[in-house]
Amino acid sequence: MAAAGVVSGKIIYEQEGVYIHSSCGKTNDQDSLISGILRVLEKDAEVIVDWRPLDDALDSSSILYAGKDSSSVVEWTQPPKERGYRGSEHLNSYEAEWDMVNTVPFKKKPHTNGDAPSHRNGKSKWSFLFSLTDLKSIKQNKEGMGWSYLVFCLKDDVVLPALHFHQGDSKLLIDSLEKYVVLCESPQDKRTLLVNCQNKSLSQSFENLLDEPAYGLIQAGLLDRRKLLWAMHQWKKIKKDPYTATMVGFSKVTNYIFDSLRGSDPSTHQRPPSEMADFLSDAIPGLKINQQEEPGFEVITRIDLGERPVVQRREPVSLEEWTKNIDSEGRILNVDNMKQMIFRGGLSHALRKQAWKFLLGYFPWDSTKEERTQLQKQKTDEYFRMKLQWKSVSEEQEKRNSRLRDYRSLIEKDVNRTDRTNKFYEGQDNPGLILLHDILMTYCMYDFDLGYVQGMSDLLSPLLYVMENEVDAFWCFASYMDQMHQNFEEQMQGMKTQLIQLSTLLRLLDSGFCSYLESQDSGYLYFCFRWLLIRFKREFSFLDILRLWEVMWTELPCKNFHLLLCCAILESEKQQIMEKHYGFNEILKHINELSMKIDVEDVLCKAEAISLQMVKCKELPQAVCEILGLQDSEVATPDSDTGEDENVAMTSCPASTFQSDALPVLATSGARDDNTTQISVSPNVSRLTPA
């Protein structure tokens, strides 16, 4: 590829009005603005970045041109006149971003491949091209420096002139390049984007696919390099923004990966090598779920959990029941019993606005009505002080605050697509949308380190719907975010931990199903990612989510009850997955398509039954005890509504945080039964507080 020759190929990106500034105002010369056209092209399985000037009458004495050695690395050479004119003092006197031409290292290499610099009409043309495989990093302009520009640095540390985008910005170019390479911010300089900076193991996975003999498959047309690069880009998006990536499902990505490996030969339509699962495992760096061959899990798989009890749910707690449990000063009486009633049946909708404030910790359970009134006044003042902080930022100030701009942009985008089919948020200029926006912006002031991350609007929406009050919704949301904070942190430690814990629980419940999932490269349970990230918000109807969340907020019957909900859903789908021999792709697709098809009451019954089954187990593994917040103690199953004194046998199994003086045994079908079997508990049973 000659530097100034015409390059043919499929055009992926094209932009005119991309300039090189050949000198700076610190000399007596005028700035030389060289207008050109920038293209990204695909040719022979290679991606090429090509810039060339539009003006054919340029003086060769004032330009640089690109040469190419036999190793296919573009270098910069300097015309003889220029070499004599510019010295080291001149090179060091200018800001690199504004005068990259002067800071380019001038080193001449012999042209061993016969590609000499191209000339037209006897004059050198300042044009360059390079393969994307040679790109090391891209430096972007500082905020507020006028038009945007980019500086390409190649792998041999050759720095190309800055390209200034006088017409439009450089974002479209970055987006185009990200279809073929992974770009991420440098830890040392956020303006610098590093190429292929994913963690080592993920990088190795792709390198293994693209090296020999895989490269031979690409050349032979059996493996589509473009699809693999596209998939690589998608996994980078999952790391950067797991919420958005998981909302559209993993199956689209895996289709590309697998189709690339399968090619067109039907005989090759088999599950790819187990290394393909590494793509998933590295979407969350550091996630390591113990696999079947590790001896520590063999003990768990041999444990007999015993018969699973039959459980059933009750009717939602009514306003009358709630009122009966409040004293004359407004304190909630018998808090434990109230939580148990909410856990078993949820709340009537008329009660949610009041009860959710207690469940989320906004109101202390032992507070009086007067104390709550004073607290609300205090929290109202605090909220509007924080709201004023972002409301009072002028447009000029915001131009110099990139983080605030980014938060606002994300929030505006997410608010406009959050629960828009719900009447509370439908239509244009809906006041509910304005409140969503304002609360989320204020939360950025409340927790500026975390700010806003996509997915938070899903957590806020039901709270605002129930509270119908900006201040109350904000403080309930802040309390909920205290629980969910780790899910949205950059390192995603919360997601790592939950996926590992879920794997441990599922292995205890059904080691055979776990082994099947592992055989299909699905042992990392990534299909549960969305469930955990936003607490099933996209899996159930809006009204069902209200019920599910209030049950989980009771923190009964154990810690991490939401993981048992995952187990209950997976158990319901196990038969279809295994009998139909679903593979990696089919499992992802099947789980994604469960959205809005899951019966919330049925899942709650099954999850509670699983918790009771584990509580009764005499040899529950320590790892499971820690996940569920259980401790070694004598315990009995919850007693009946009638409070009869019929004792049940004690066990030495871990004790549950679930306490009840009057609860029925339930049916796993989810149907309510008023004639259930009664079970009592001894008054000597030790009680535990939530872990």
Side-chain angles (χ1 to χ4, degrees):
M1 293 182 296
V6 177
V7 180
S8 61
K10 179 182 177 182
I11 297 177
I12 305 303
Y13 167 90
E14 184 174 66
Q15 177 67 53
E16 294 185 5
V18 180
Y19 286 73
I20 287 179
H21 296 191
S22 66
S23 63
C24 203
K26 292 187 178 181
T27 69
N28 292 327
D29 301 330
Q30 279 189 318
D31 284 358
S32 177
L33 303 182
I34 305 172
S35 176
I37 183 168
L38 180 65
R39 294 186 179 96
V40 178
L41 308 102
E42 270 188 13
K43 181 182 180 183
D44 300 330
E46 188 174 19
V47 180
I48 297 166
V49 178
D50 177 31
W51 184 90
R52 60 190 61 249
L54 294 175
D55 186 357
D56 288 340
L58 290 175
D59 184 350
S60 63
S61 66
S62 65
I63 62 175
L64 302 179
Y65 53 84
K68 197 168 187 293
D69 65 9
S70 58
S71 65
S72 298
V73 177
V74 174
E75 62 169 320
W76 282 95
T77 57
Q78 185 184 21
K81 293 181 182 179
E82 191 76 8
R83 192 178 299 117
Y85 169 70
R86 300 188 186 276
S88 59
E89 281 188 15
H90 179 81
L91 293 179
N92 295 329
S93 64
Y94 300 108
E95 171 70 17
E97 288 80 4
W98 289 109
D99 195 22
M100 283 305 304
V101 174
N102 297 329
T103 61
V104 170
F106 304 113
K107 51 181 182 178
K108 182 86 172 178
K109 292 185 180 179
H111 296 277
T112 57
N113 64 352
D115 287 338
S118 174
H119 302 269
R120 290 182 186 174
N121 302 326
K123 296 182 180 181
S124 300
K125 294 300 179 184
W126 193 352
S127 36
F128 66 81
L129 59 86
F130 60 86
S131 170
L132 207 53
T133 57
D134 295 327
L135 183 62
K136 177 181 179 182
S137 65
I138 304 172
K139 190 163 187 177
Q140 305 173 94
N141 59 295
K142 295 178 181 177
E143 294 289 344
M145 289 185 66
W147 50 68
S148 62
Y149 68 86
L150 297 176
V151 179
F152 294 109
C153 179
L154 306 184
K155 288 182 179 178
D156 63 351
D157 293 326
V158 168
V159 180
L160 305 184
L163 297 179
H164 296 261
F165 292 74
H166 289 203
Q167 300 173 14
D169 59 31
S170 57
K171 187 177 185 301
L172 288 177
L173 174 61
I174 296 295
D175 291 343
S176 298
L177 296 181
E178 284 188 316
K179 295 176 182 177
Y180 302 95
V181 293
V182 177
L183 300 175
C184 68
E185 289 182 354
S186 166
Q188 287 76 34
D189 183 359
K190 291 186 177 181
R191 296 163 55 201
T192 300
L193 300 176
L194 302 178
V195 178
N196 291 347
C197 58
Q198 67 276 14
N199 65 64
K200 184 177 181 181
S201 55
L202 179 60
S203 177
Q204 188 61 46
S205 296
F206 280 98
E207 287 173 6
N208 290 341
L209 282 172
L210 297 177
D211 67 6
E212 298 293 348
Y215 183 73
L217 295 176
I218 294 173
Q219 297 298 94
L222 298 179
L223 193 154
D224 193 326
R225 179 190 183 106
R226 286 174 296 176
K227 286 186 176 182
L228 283 171
L229 288 169
W230 182 90
M232 185 177 181
H233 170 60
Q234 297 305 310
W235 291 121
K236 177 258 186 182
K237 288 171 64 179
I238 290 173
K239 281 183 63 181
K240 184 175 181 180
D241 183 5
Y243 167 78
T244 301
T246 53
M247 290 305 103
V248 299
F250 288 104
S251 55
K252 183 177 179 182
V253 181
T254 54
N255 275 327
Y256 267 85
I257 298 175
F258 291 176
D259 289 348
S260 298
L261 287 166
R262 290 168 178 166
S264 58
D265 184 358
S267 66
T268 65
H269 288 199
Q270 304 294 328
R271 184 175 59 83
S274 61
E275 286 82 359
M276 295 300 296
D278 292 340
F279 296 162
L280 291 172
S281 68
D282 287 305
I284 304 182
L287 175 63
K288 297 297 177 186
I289 296 177
N290 289 301
Q291 296 297 307
Q292 184 176 352
E293 63 272 11
E294 298 196 16
F297 278 88
E298 289 302 310
V299 177
I300 295 179
T301 61
R302 294 173 185 154
I303 291 175
D304 180 10
L305 291 175
E307 186 177 353
R308 184 172 297 177
V310 178
V311 298
Q312 180 187 347
R313 294 181 57 73
R314 56 156 281 166
E315 293 294 332
V317 177
S318 66
L319 187 58
E320 182 181 2
E321 287 176 301
W322 176 268
T323 305
K324 285 181 179 179
N325 278 273
I326 298 178
D327 69 12
S328 59
E329 293 185 330
R331 294 185 184 87
I332 308 298
L333 303 174
N334 202 346
V335 174
D336 289 341
N337 184 62
M338 179 58 69
K339 286 185 178 180
Q340 290 158 12
M341 292 167 63
I342 296 171
F343 171 76
R344 290 295 179 125
L347 295 159
S348 60
H349 188 69
L351 188 53
R352 284 180 172 135
K353 185 181 296 187
Q354 186 176 359
W356 278 23
K357 296 168 188 173
F358 292 94
L359 288 170
L360 285 165
Y362 175 30
F363 287 170
W365 284 96
D366 60 353
S367 61
T368 65
K369 183 177 181 180
E370 179 61 29
E371 288 170 343
R372 293 193 292 272
T373 301
Q374 292 302 317
L375 178 64
Q376 279 186 302
K377 289 181 180 179
Q378 173 192 332
K379 291 297 186 181
T380 299
D381 290 342
E382 189 175 347
Y383 173 78
F384 283 107
R385 280 199 301 271
M386 291 186 292
K387 184 173 182 178
L388 184 62
Q389 289 174 4
W390 65 267
K391 279 281 193 179
S392 61
V393 174
S394 67
E395 289 185 11
E396 287 300 315
Q397 285 178 297
E398 192 164 319
K399 288 179 181 179
R400 297 185 291 274
N401 191 330
S402 60
R403 290 187 68 185
L404 186 61
R405 286 200 312 275
D406 290 345
Y407 290 154
R408 187 191 295 274
S409 175
L410 274 176
I411 289 169
E412 289 174 352
K413 181 170 66 176
D414 279 5
V415 162
N416 285 326
R417 60 189 184 189
T418 299
D419 292 323
R420 296 306 301 276
T421 57
N422 187 303
K423 289 185 178 180
F424 193 79
Y425 299 110
E426 69 181 2
Q428 297 297 321
D429 300 321
N430 187 301
L433 297 180
I434 297 171
L435 290 179
L436 271 180
H437 172 274
D438 288 2
I439 292 171
L440 292 170
M441 284 295 296
T442 305
Y443 186 80
C444 293
M445 302 296 105
Y446 175 80
D447 187 348
F448 207 83
D449 287 340
L450 181 63
Y452 179 79
V453 181
Q454 286 182 304
M456 290 183 183
S457 61
D458 271 292
L459 299 184
L460 172 60
S461 171
L463 299 173
L464 180 58
Y465 171 83
V466 168
M467 293 299 149
E468 298 179 302
N469 177 281
E470 181 177 4
V471 175
D472 290 343
F474 172 84
W475 289 111
C476 287
F477 175 67
S479 296
Y480 198 13
M481 281 303 302
D482 287 344
Q483 302 175 29
M484 303 292 290
H485 201 280
Q486 282 194 319
N487 282 16
F488 296 95
E489 291 171 0
E490 185 175 359
Q491 299 303 315
M492 300 172 67
Q493 186 57 51
M495 296 304 301
K496 298 177 193 176
T497 301
Q498 290 173 86
L499 286 169
I500 292 170
Q501 290 174 337
L502 178 57
S503 177
T504 301
L505 294 173
L506 192 61
R507 184 174 296 278
L508 171 66
L509 290 167
D510 197 330
S511 61
F513 186 37
C514 271
S515 297
Y516 177 82
L517 293 175
E518 287 169 2
S519 73
Q520 305 303 318
D521 297 333
S522 299
Y524 289 104
L525 307 179
Y526 271 92
F527 42 80
C528 300
F529 189 97
R530 185 174 68 186
W531 300 356
L532 301 173
L533 184 70
I534 52 175
R535 286 295 191 272
F536 308 99
K537 173 62 166 55
R538 294 294 181 94
E539 316 314 316
F540 295 90
S541 69
F542 194 86
L543 293 180
D544 282 350
I545 276 296
L546 306 185
R547 171 77 71 245
L548 187 69
W549 282 5
E550 64 198 12
V551 168
M552 289 193 292
W553 292 336
T554 65
E555 299 182 328
L556 297 174
C558 58
K559 184 180 176 182
N560 286 317
F561 181 63
H562 68 287
L563 298 180
L564 297 184
L565 292 168
C566 294
C567 291
I569 298 172
L570 292 175
E571 184 180 84
S572 299
E573 304 305 317
K574 166 193 168 183
Q575 183 176 357
Q576 182 171 345
I577 290 172
M578 295 185 71
E579 286 185 356
K580 294 188 177 181
H581 306 289
Y582 283 169
F584 182 87
N585 246 14
E586 293 82 5
I587 293 171
L588 291 174
K589 183 174 183 292
H590 177 71
I591 296 299
N592 280 336
E593 291 176 351
L594 291 177
S595 178
M596 304 300 160
K597 299 176 184 177
I598 308 171
D599 187 305
V600 68
E601 295 292 337
D602 183 57
V603 168
L604 285 168
C605 281
K606 288 179 179 177
E608 184 185 354
I610 292 171
S611 72
L612 294 174
Q613 183 183 24
M614 289 188 174
V615 163
K616 292 194 299 181
C617 177
K618 296 181 180 180
E619 299 176 346
L620 203 62
Q622 183 61 33
V624 175
C625 293
E626 292 174 359
I627 292 169
L628 300 181
L630 308 177
Q631 299 176 9
D632 290 335
S633 174
E634 290 185 336
V635 69
T637 52
D639 58 341
S640 69
D641 279 324
T642 60
E644 295 176 4
D645 294 329
E646 179 186 358
N647 292 331
V648 295
M650 296 297 179
T651 72
S652 59
C653 65
S656 168
T657 62
F658 184 48
Q659 307 165 20
S660 175
D661 296 324
L663 291 172
V665 178
L666 307 173
T668 53
S669 65
R672 293 181 171 84
D673 184 1
D674 296 329
N675 300 313
T676 55
T677 305
Q678 306 299 322
I679 302 177
S680 302
V681 64
S682 165
N684 296 323
V685 173
S686 58
R687 306 293 192 183
L688 300 178
T689 56

